[in-house]
Every structure is written in C-alpha cells, then in structure tokens.
Amino acid sequence: MALLAQIVQSSFAKPRPTLRILPVRTRAHMGGTRQLNLQSFILTPNELSTALTKNVPTKISTAPRVIPLCAAWFLPNDHQGRTGQRVFEEKRIPTARFFDLDAVKDHDSPYPHMLPSAETFAKAMQDMGIRKDDEVVVYDTQELGIFSAPRVAWTLQVFGHPGVHLLNNFRLWVEQGYPTESGKFEAVVEEPSHYPTPTLDAARVVAFSEMKEIASDHGKEGSEGVQVLDARSKGRWAGTDPEPRPGLPSGHIPGSISVPVSELLDPDTGALLPGEELRRLFESKGVDSERPIISSCGTGVTAAVVDAALGEAGFGQPEARRLYDGSWTEWAQRVSEADGLIRKKV
C-alpha cells in the first residue's frame, strides 16, 4: 500500500500551470495532521490536484480525506446512449467514487430526481466508502461540462455533509493534463464507511404546495417577494419548444425568470463563468439580490447549477436561496394552462 500511495502521489505532483491557490487549512486527527487546500466551494483543477497530493489516502490512516465524487449523468434520451457509470469507468479522477443520480433518489415518487430519504442517502454514502469528515469534491463529465455535479453537491449540503466542493471542471482537469484512471466502479471502494443517518435541511427545499401558493399569488399586491429562476432553455420556458419528456407541456411558472443554464457556462470549456460575469448576467435579467430566490429546471438537476452560479457571484444570501425539488416535471403534471399556472410567451 505504501508503494501505491507513492505512485498516486507522484502522479499528482507533476508540474502544472500556475493557477490561483487558496490558503491552506489543517485538520488535526488521530491519523495525523492533514493539509486541506479547500477553502472555497468552487475549486480549480490545480486546487484539487494540490489537495490530493497532500492527502494521499492510506489504509491505516483514519484522518479526513479528499474524495473526488463523480456525478456523471446523461438524459435518458441521450443520442449516444451514454450513461454516467459507463463514462466513470472509462475515465475518472484517481480515487474517485461514483454517485448515481438515478439510484440515490426517492423511488416512491413519480418524478425523476426527488431527494432520497435520509436513510437512502446514508446507505449510498456508506456504500461509496465516504465518511462524514471527508472533504468531497463533486465533478461532472468531460463531455458535458458543468451539468449534474451541482445537484449532487447540493444534495450533500442539504443532508448536512460539512465539506462539499464543486470542481470547475473535469474537462479542464483532462485538458490541463492531470491524471485519470479507468476500471470498474466496484473496485474503487475498499470497504464501506459508517456514515450516520443525517437530518435533511428542509428549509433549503421547496415543495409543490408552497410553489403553487407562490405562483397563484403572482401579480397580486404584496406578492413581489420571491423570485423563481428557470434553468431550462428559453424555448422550453416560452412554450415554443417541446419538453424532452413525451406528453409534458412546455411553458413556465407564472412570474418565473428565464436563466438558461447554457448562459452560465463558458461555451468552450463548459465551466462556470467567473463570479463577476455571473453577477452582471443576473442583474441584466432583473434578478434582485435582496429578495429570496427559488431555482427550478426540468427535474431539479440543473436548477442546482443556477444555485451554484448565484453563490459564485455572491448574489443573494445563502439562506435566502432554495431549490424547487420537483421542478417542471412535477409542476406540469399537477397544474394546467387552463387554471393559469402554466404560462407561455411567444
């Protein structure tokens, strides 16, 4: 194992282009003192590589670790038939685990990606071998850029995991020459962890009943408080383009603002834009940083990209930002255009 640690460490220690490095913080632990270069939620490839180099995992240490967590996910109708597990096994960050969005969810819900129970979440973390004191860095696919990783990071946060970060992004990790590995995902976890059953932070989640009340009050006196940002494409929001799910009407929640996720990303790298650019974009759309914000999308996945972008822009208070878990897939199946709760704009 010492030899393995030496090999992994040397692979991360190759010279790299100089990028911004955050201040170092240390954690004292029974297994020794570890240096963790992870002060920010959004991390560059250089910052993750530095942290991994300084925190090479060993079998005997119980010190907190830096765990890359692949959140690869593709739409069910992906034209190339790609799946998250397949691309994880083809190319991943060394020591990474795989979070399956289609498995770690509420299987009793008719909607695709509703939050799992606390017990289901804890079991998934145990099966991935992740401990409560691990620093987890969630990342996306090389193919799509930032897409589903923010949803997984948000899920960890609402279940109270203390150390959660987002890599910006895996495509840049690969292009900048940082190491990757391949192989079956079952071989990554040496043994399950003893992750405790957490408590959901329900204050960060918006349910259908509250969303319906907000939408029904839109346009009424005194209802100007909450803003709803929709990450779907402008055509789907406007009702001019179809939804990818058969039988689901397009359109938008009354009063919602169209913030297509593509506008938040660099078109070449798929990485989140710098914070100042994101701030100007939100301001150009009339988003008020002093008012509460609810993010929504198709199934609750890319809504978390909007939430992450708001955070990177320093836009609004974290406690005033929430996510509509069921998003459009739930909304369009439970309301109708006839009752005024699906709007179209042509």
Side-chain angles (χ1 to χ4, degrees), residues 8-296:
V8 173
Q9 185 171 24
S10 64
S11 68
F12 281 106
K14 294 190 296 183
R16 301 296 174 197
T18 300
L19 297 175
R20 179 176 60 93
I21 300 179
L22 297 173
V24 175
R25 62 190 173 95
T26 62
R27 276 190 184 180
H29 196 274
M30 290 178 61
T33 300
R34 290 290 182 92
Q35 291 186 318
L36 301 174
N37 299 61
L38 303 177
Q39 290 288 341
S40 299
F41 174 61
I42 304 291
L43 300 179
T44 66
N46 178 266
E47 289 163 352
L48 175 56
S49 178
T50 299
L52 289 169
T53 300
K54 294 179 180 295
N55 295 275
V56 177
T58 67
K59 226 173 189 179
I60 60 173
S61 175
T62 58
R65 304 164 298 174
V66 178
I67 303 292
L69 182 60
C70 177
W73 181 76
F74 295 88
L75 289 169
N77 62 347
D78 181 70
H79 66 284
Q80 297 183 37
R82 297 169 296 187
T83 67
Q85 181 177 324
R86 193 180 88 187
V87 299
F88 171 78
E89 293 178 346
E90 289 174 350
K91 184 183 294 183
R92 60 174 177 263
I93 296 173
T95 74
R97 317 298 162 87
F98 176 62
F99 189 105
D100 189 346
L101 265 174
D102 287 326
V104 189
K105 64 178 184 179
D106 181 359
H107 289 275
D108 293 326
S109 172
Y111 312 114
H113 295 115
M114 302 294 278
L115 281 167
S117 67
E119 292 76 15
T120 297
F121 175 80
K123 179 63 166 56
M125 298 295 273
Q126 292 164 9
D127 291 345
M128 291 184 290
I130 297 175
R131 303 193 293 250
K132 188 66 178 278
D133 62 356
D134 286 335
E135 296 282 341
V136 178
V137 183
V138 191
Y139 71 92
D140 262 301
T141 67
Q142 179 183 358
E143 293 86 349
L144 299 181
I146 294 292
F147 181 55
S148 51
R151 169 69 188 202
V152 172
W154 178 81
T155 299
L156 267 65
Q157 289 175 329
V158 298
F159 279 113
H161 191 86
V164 183
H165 311 272
L166 179 69
L167 178 64
N168 196 26
N169 60 10
F170 185 52
R171 185 182 299 175
L172 289 175
W173 175 278
V174 174
E175 290 179 354
Q176 293 171 10
Y178 293 101
T180 61
E181 66 178 15
S182 61
K184 293 296 183 182
F185 81 109
E186 294 91 344
V188 176
V189 181
E190 293 182 346
E191 60 181 9
S193 70
H194 299 284
Y195 202 95
T197 301
T199 300
L200 173 70
D201 183 1
R204 297 187 62 177
V205 187
V206 178
F208 171 77
S209 57
E210 182 183 358
M211 195 71 253
K212 185 177 181 182
E213 182 178 350
I214 292 169
S216 298
D217 288 343
H218 173 66
K220 297 179 182 178
E221 185 177 355
S223 66
E224 297 80 16
V226 180
Q227 304 164 101
V228 180
L229 308 188
D230 191 327
R232 294 175 302 146
S233 69
K234 187 65 176 288
R236 289 166 64 188
W237 177 88
T240 57
D241 291 344
E243 290 292 313
R245 292 162 186 84
L248 202 67
S250 57
H252 60 269
I253 297 169
S256 64
I257 300 170
S258 175
V259 185
V261 69
S262 59
E263 296 183 11
L264 306 175
L265 307 178
D266 183 287
D268 296 320
T269 67
L272 273 177
L273 294 171
E276 189 54 43
E277 288 187 42
L278 292 169
R279 171 171 280 275
R280 289 196 297 268
L281 185 144
F282 288 124
E283 289 173 345
S284 72
K285 292 180 177 291
V287 183
D288 186 346
S289 63
E290 300 301 316
R291 291 163 53 193
I293 296 172
I294 296 172
S295 297
S296 180

